[in-house]
Every structure is written in structure tokens, then in C-alpha cells.
Amino acid sequence: MNILVTGGAGFIGSNFVRHLLTASDDTIVNLDLLTYAGNLENLAGCEDDPRYRFVRGDIKDRALVRRVMNDFRISAVVHFAAESHVDRSVEGPEAFVATNVMGTEILLEEARRAQVERFVMVSTDEVYGSLGDKGAFTETTPLAPNSPYAASKAAADLLCRAFHRTFGFPVLITRCSNNYGPYQFPEKLIPLMIANALEDRPLPVYGDGQNVRDWLHVSDHCRAVDLVLRSGVPGEVYNIGGCNEKRNLDLVQLLVDELGKSRDLITFVPDRPGHDRRYAIDAGKISRELGWRPTVTFAAGMADTVKWYLDHQDWLQQVRSGRYREYYDRMYGAGGRHEPEEGRS
Ligand code: NAD
Ligand code: TYD
């Protein structure tokens, strides 16, 4: 297949490109705008592979998307490109609607025009909203997104559904829980905590730290997306998750211990507005129907991830020294929304 991967310079996209280059003989075109989150260093070494091509561009650029579909005779699309960080969507939802909704619509139209045979929409469990203490999201759980990020992903996800229902376009939707692993941008919980701990800086835990996320190693997510691409049934939705729920505070403590740092670095900061309390995925369908199971245990995955960040501190420094720094200061610096409060730690 000639596969168009969008957002292939981001965290999951770059892991997916690497996965395809080793696990398949497909040709891969990576279309990525290189926003603050896109980093070609994530793909160092891939450039030399004749099966890999990079195109810098915007999924909202219809003429470019059309050209890419035609020039590279694209037969399948795996769509990762997105604005992906909830806190940024609280600060400014517009870019989320533009990229995640409008961009997805343009991709769908152009992929349909090019008679693409498979289109995988990489969605998220956040479209389902928040859970109470019990239960897990299934594919039939009603969509109830709470953040602008989640709402924009739900809109894109529903456009995909509509393209299948209306036009019979072969879209497959995956909804995955929180990923962790190498190359994750240090605005997300795990790499942010590792980066701060390495510099003995405060570790900002939102609210009471009792929010729960269901963590999955990125390599297991990549295998699942690949499986859905090749064996999934068009029009179907597949939940992907690790059955691996952790409270934020417990996770941060575990990271601190793993790094041999002091738990005194943990600092409670004002909560994220509209903060979803708990996510948990029922991945029974993909397991039953496609035979997927996570293979990386949380203990092994976390140990590997911490080691990766320790071994790649130059990567961390580089990422943290750019525009990300301004954003970081705006959120966590003096007067920022998550500026640490006096007296709580
Ligand atoms: P990321 O922010 O690390 O990467 C996003 C990539 O998309 C970047 O390389 C960026 O440059 C690119 N991009 C952004 N806007 C673009 C545009 N207009 N045109 C072309 N490229 C553009 O995100 P991630 O964490 O790797 O997530 C990838 C996908 O997986 C997203 O769709 C996200 O919603 C979904 N997802 C993520 C998680 C998670 O835990 N990270 C979980 C479930 C689903
Ligand atoms: P995040 O990595 O942003 O993923 P998502 O919001 O998409 O689940 O956050 C994971 C959890 O960690 C979420 O409950 C918010 C919390 N969190 C903090 O407590 N402190 C932080 O600095 C960040 C970035 C997140």
C-alpha cells in the first residue's frame, strides 16, 4: 500500500511511521505541518529509507492534499494530525476546530475523491466524556465530550461516520486511551513530570490528583492502529486501551521514585477547568474481533520510558528551549493558570 500518514512528526505518528518501516513493506508519505508539536528529530534515521517521504504541509490546504493523494497514488490514509493538548484547547479552541474538524473534513473529501481504499481516523476515548468510579467506555457509549479538544475530535469522528454512512467511504475509527512512551512532547503529564523532576523543579499536579487515566504504551497503540488499518471492518469503531488505570498522583509518585527524586517536588496547583475525572476503556471488541492485546506491561513500559528520557535529555532540552518555553511559562509561570498555590504541596 501507499499509506499517507498525517501528523507523522508528532508523538504517536512518529512511533507509527517507525513501526510501519519495520513491520511492513508499505510506502509511507508523512504529511505534517510541523507545528510546535511536530519534530523531525522524532524520525531521525527514517529519511534514508526509500519507502519513506516527508511532505511539510497543512491538512487544511486542499490543493496540497489533493496533490499528495494523486502524486503518491495514496491507497490508505492514517490520520493522526491534530491539535492534541487539552490545556491548549482551553486557552484557544479555534485552532482545534480549524485543524481537527476542518482539516479532517478536507482530508476525507480529498481521500474520497482519490478513491482511497482505507481511511483510519485516530480518535480518542475523550470523546466519551468522563466516567464515575465504575464502568468503562464501550464503542456504544454516547459521545459527551467536555473539553474543546475532545469536542473537536468528536466532531471529526462523527464526520468520518457520516462519510461512511452517506457515501460508503471506507472509514475506520479508533478511540484510544492515554498513550505514553518515547518522543512524547513534554506538555503531557508523563514527559512533563520527568523533565521537571530531572531539573528538580516543582511537579504540578492539577486539583486533588485523584483523576484517573487508562495508560497504554504507544507501541501497543501503533500495533492496534495497524491491525485496524489492515483487518478492521469499514464503518466500525474500535476502542483501544490497556486496562491500566492510574490516579495521577500515584503515577507522579511512581515516576519520582523511579527517578530517585524527592516526593517534596510534587506541588498541587489549581485544577484544569472541566477536568474529566476518570477514563477507562473496554477494549473487548478489538480483542475479540481482531485479536489485539496490549503486550507492554505498565511496569516495563514505564521503566523503559523513564530510561528513554534519561538517555535523550538533549532531545528534551531542544524541545523545551523553543516556543514551548513561552507556552510553559504562560501556563505555569507567575500569573499563569497553573501557578503553584502557596501552602499546598
Ligand atoms: P502530537 O501533538 O504529538 O502530534 C500532532 C502532529 O500533528 C504534530 O506533528 C503536528 O505538527 C501535526 N499537525 C498539527 N496540525 C497539523 C496540520 N494542520 N496539518 C498537518 N499536520 C499537523 O499528538 P499525538 O499525541 O501524537 O496524537 C496523535 C493523534 O492521536 C491525535 O489525533 C490525537 O487526538 C490522537 N490521540 C492521542 C492520544 C494521546 O495520548 N497522545 C490518545 C488517543 C488519541
Ligand atoms: P494529559 O497528559 O494532558 O492528558 P489528557 O488530559 O488528554 O488525559 O493529562 C493527563 C492527566 O494529568 C490529566 O488528568 C491532567 C493531569 N495533569 C496534571 O495533573 N498536571 C499537568 O501538568 C498535566 C499536563 C496534566
Side-chain angles (χ1 to χ4, degrees):
M1 283 191 285
N2 294 336
I3 303 177
L4 173 62
V5 175
T6 69
F11 163 48
I12 306 174
S14 61
N15 277 282
F16 187 71
V17 168
R18 287 179 185 282
H19 164 84
L20 283 184
L21 286 176
T22 49
S24 80
D25 55 10
D26 298 310
T27 300
I28 300 142
V29 180
N30 171 14
L31 173 62
D32 196 300
L33 183 57
L34 300 184
T35 67
Y36 79 93
N39 183 352
L40 285 182
E41 279 181 49
N42 297 357
L43 291 160
C46 299
E47 307 90 354
D48 303 333
D49 195 312
R51 290 189 292 126
Y52 170 77
R53 295 290 291 274
F54 173 68
V55 177
R56 183 174 188 179
D58 194 334
I59 56 165
K60 301 191 295 300
D61 181 342
R62 182 183 296 280
L64 172 70
V65 171
R66 189 172 298 178
R67 214 164 48 241
V68 168
M69 296 278 180
N70 292 336
D71 288 358
F72 295 99
R73 297 170 184 273
I74 295 300
S75 49
V77 174
V78 183
H79 178 32
F80 292 98
E83 290 291 337
S84 70
H85 190 42
V86 172
D87 291 316
R88 285 180 189 261
S89 80
V90 176
E91 292 288 291
E94 188 177 344
F96 285 73
V97 175
T99 291
N100 299 0
V101 186
M102 306 293 286
T104 300
E105 196 278 333
I106 287 170
L107 264 186
L108 282 167
E109 271 194 283
E110 294 307 322
R112 181 171 166 252
R113 173 192 285 268
Q115 299 185 324
V116 160
E117 288 155 28
R118 314 278 285 182
F119 185 110
V120 180
M121 166 68 196
V122 181
S123 187
T124 164
D125 62 352
E126 303 195 23
V127 298
Y128 297 121
S130 186
L131 288 166
D133 289 343
K134 290 201 171 62
F137 299 128
T138 70
E139 289 80 359
T140 55
T141 301
L143 303 194
N146 292 318
S147 70
Y149 162 68
S152 68
K153 293 295 290 188
D157 186 318
L158 290 177
L159 275 170
C160 290
R161 174 192 155 92
F163 265 67
H164 178 259
R165 286 294 179 107
T166 306
F167 306 117
F169 186 60
V171 184
L172 303 108
I173 298 170
T174 61
R175 297 184 184 143
C176 188
S177 61
N178 289 62
N179 283 215
Y180 70 97
Y183 302 108
Q184 188 167 27
F185 195 84
E187 64 184 351
K188 305 276 167 52
L189 179 71
I190 289 177
L192 184 137
M193 294 297 168
I194 295 174
N196 278 19
L198 287 175
E199 295 176 7
D200 293 307
R201 294 169 60 170
L203 308 179
V205 171
Y206 297 169
D208 62 5
Q210 299 304 303
N211 301 65
V212 173
R213 294 294 182 266
D214 180 354
W215 294 95
L216 181 71
H217 194 267
V218 64
S219 60
D220 280 326
H221 185 193
C222 290
R223 277 194 311 105
V225 170
D226 193 4
L227 201 56
V228 170
L229 169 67
R230 287 167 214 283
S231 315
V233 177
E236 290 295 310
V237 175
Y238 297 91
N239 279 357
I240 304 168
C243 269
N244 189 31
E245 292 180 51
K246 297 280 174 241
R247 287 194 184 85
N248 290 342
L249 184 56
D250 295 340
L251 177 52
V252 174
Q253 285 174 345
L254 191 143
L255 281 171
V256 172
D257 296 349
E258 189 100 25
L259 288 161
K261 296 287 183 174
S262 165
R263 288 189 177 190
D264 292 343
L265 290 173
I266 296 173
T267 309
F268 290 94
V269 299
D271 210 352
R272 168 189 284 171
H275 195 175
D276 285 338
R277 193 63 173 170
R278 176 171 165 259
Y279 300 146
I281 276 279
D282 178 339
K285 177 174 170 178
I286 190 170
S287 156
R288 274 191 313 277
E289 297 187 7
L290 305 184
W292 175 86
R293 265 171 207 79
T295 58
V296 182
T297 64
F298 188 66
M302 282 303 292
D304 279 0
T305 300
V306 168
K307 183 173 181 326
W308 189 87
Y309 283 97
L310 284 172
D311 292 346
H312 292 79
Q313 294 190 44
D314 48 340
W315 182 91
L316 262 183
Q317 287 301 334
Q318 197 138 329
V319 172
R320 291 198 110 190
S321 64
R323 282 168 61 197
Y324 177 66
R325 173 67 69 185
E326 294 158 30
Y327 164 79
Y328 185 89
D329 288 340
R330 199 166 74 243
M331 299 296 278
Y332 298 98
R337 185 145 46 76
H338 300 301
E339 182 187 9
E341 282 176 327
E342 294 289 333
R344 290 182 72 200
S345 69

